[in-house]
């Protein structure tokens, strides 16, 4: 899991502030992870947190969020090790949307595997095409506003998965919304999950 904390008042220069890696004991071959994280070329210095055991996606990300202690308007990028961004300049596009609409609680890359799944609703925000729908899809590479993470990652399961609907309910309770950057995509990670997992 990778997390970036950045303050939107410094965003145009992309001052990343704190970059935290939570070593959640995955993948077994950590060298392989760097291939998938290649799009994060701006991130050169990491602070590594090593919990005693695998806390699951929710626990690991919440640990990282709490460690960063974000202000409500800070922007945090959460990145799973098996995510795979395939479009350039997506980080700046996320920041542009978050700055342009303070009610945007979180914004995700559009996964090319789900783009045709439904009739999306579109809007142009911060100069970028944003897609939204009440029937949610995966949120992998996602930037959150600090206020959306004041209680950590919300999920309908203990360790992995079922984040999308729980986070959407939480966003609704705060009067915020979620969208996908239509023109900025992620795809299937070329590194396959080991059978051990």
């Amino acid at each position: 899991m990778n997390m970036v904390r950045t303050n939107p008042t410094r965003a145009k220069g992309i001052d990343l502030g704190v970059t935290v890696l939570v070593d959640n004991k995955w993948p077994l071959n950590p060298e392989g992870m760097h291939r998938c994280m290649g799009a994060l070329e701006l991130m050169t210095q990491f602070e590594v947190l090593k919990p005693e055991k695998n806390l699951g996606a929710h626990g690991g990300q919440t640990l990282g969020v709490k460690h960063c202690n974000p202000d409500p308007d800070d922007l945090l990028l959460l990145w799973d090790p098996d995510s795979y961004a395939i479009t350039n300049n997506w980080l700046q596009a996320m920041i542009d949307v978050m700055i342009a609409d303070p009610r945007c609680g979180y914004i995700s890359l559009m996964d090319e595997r789900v783009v045709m799944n439904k009739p999306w609703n579109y809007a142009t925000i911060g100069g970028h095409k944003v897609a939204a729908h009440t029937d949610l899809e995966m949120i992998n590479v996602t930037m959150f506003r600090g206020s959306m993470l004041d209680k950590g990652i919300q999920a309908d399961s203990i360790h992995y998965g079922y984040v999308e609907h729980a986070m959407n309910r939480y966003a609704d309770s705060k009067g915020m919304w979620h969208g996908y950057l239509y023109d900025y995509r992620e795809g299937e990670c070329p590194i396959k999950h080991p059978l051990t997992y």
Side-chain angles (χ1 to χ4, degrees):
M1 191 280 298
N2 182 284
M3 182 176 309
V4 179
R5 176 182 175 187
T6 183
N7 185 312
T9 61
R10 299 189 304 264
K12 285 297 180 179
I14 309 189
D15 174 1
L16 294 177
V18 179
T19 303
V20 174
L21 285 177
V22 178
D23 180 359
N24 230 356
K25 315 301 187 265
W26 190 100
L28 291 176
N29 172 16
E31 292 78 26
M33 179 175 69
H34 298 297
R35 284 184 49 209
C36 289
M37 294 180 68
L40 301 177
E41 68 278 353
L42 294 171
M43 303 174 198
T44 56
Q45 296 184 9
F46 300 91
E47 187 173 348
V48 179
L49 303 181
K50 294 188 175 188
E52 291 183 6
K53 62 181 181 179
N54 186 339
L55 303 174
H58 316 146
Q61 290 179 342
T62 296
L63 175 71
V65 168
K66 289 181 178 177
H67 180 79
C68 288
N69 191 27
D71 292 332
D73 287 330
D74 279 349
L75 304 178
L76 291 96
L77 175 70
L78 274 62
W79 175 286
D80 290 326
D82 57 352
S83 296
Y84 193 64
I86 58 176
T87 309
N88 294 328
N89 302 317
W90 55 267
L91 182 59
Q92 185 62 60
M94 285 183 165
I95 293 170
D96 292 344
V97 171
M98 296 293 274
I99 290 173
D101 188 345
R103 288 186 54 247
C104 181
Y106 55 120
I107 189 80
S108 302
L109 294 183
M110 176 65 79
D111 193 307
E112 66 175 1
R113 295 164 289 184
V114 303
V115 70
M116 301 303 290
N117 282 7
K118 56 182 54 71
W120 297 94
N121 300 308
Y122 301 105
T124 300
I125 301 170
H128 303 284
K129 186 176 182 179
V130 176
H133 200 281
T134 55
D135 181 17
L136 300 174
E137 291 287 358
M138 305 182 273
I139 55 171
N140 296 324
V141 179
T142 302
M143 179 172 281
F144 289 88
R145 199 168 300 281
S147 58
M148 275 293 299
L149 298 174
D150 57 350
K151 294 184 179 179
I153 298 296
Q154 305 297 300
D156 294 335
S157 64
I158 297 173
H159 297 295
Y160 291 95
Y162 301 96
V163 171
E164 290 79 5
H165 288 95
M167 289 304 299
N168 192 53
R169 288 192 305 270
Y170 196 60
D172 285 346
S173 75
K174 290 179 163 287
M176 294 184 173
W177 62 274
H178 166 252
Y180 300 84
L181 285 170
Y182 185 81
D183 295 318
Y184 296 86
R185 306 285 174 90
E186 67 172 296
E188 184 176 358
C189 180
I191 300 173
K192 301 301 180 187
H193 286 231
L195 292 178
T196 303
Y197 297 113

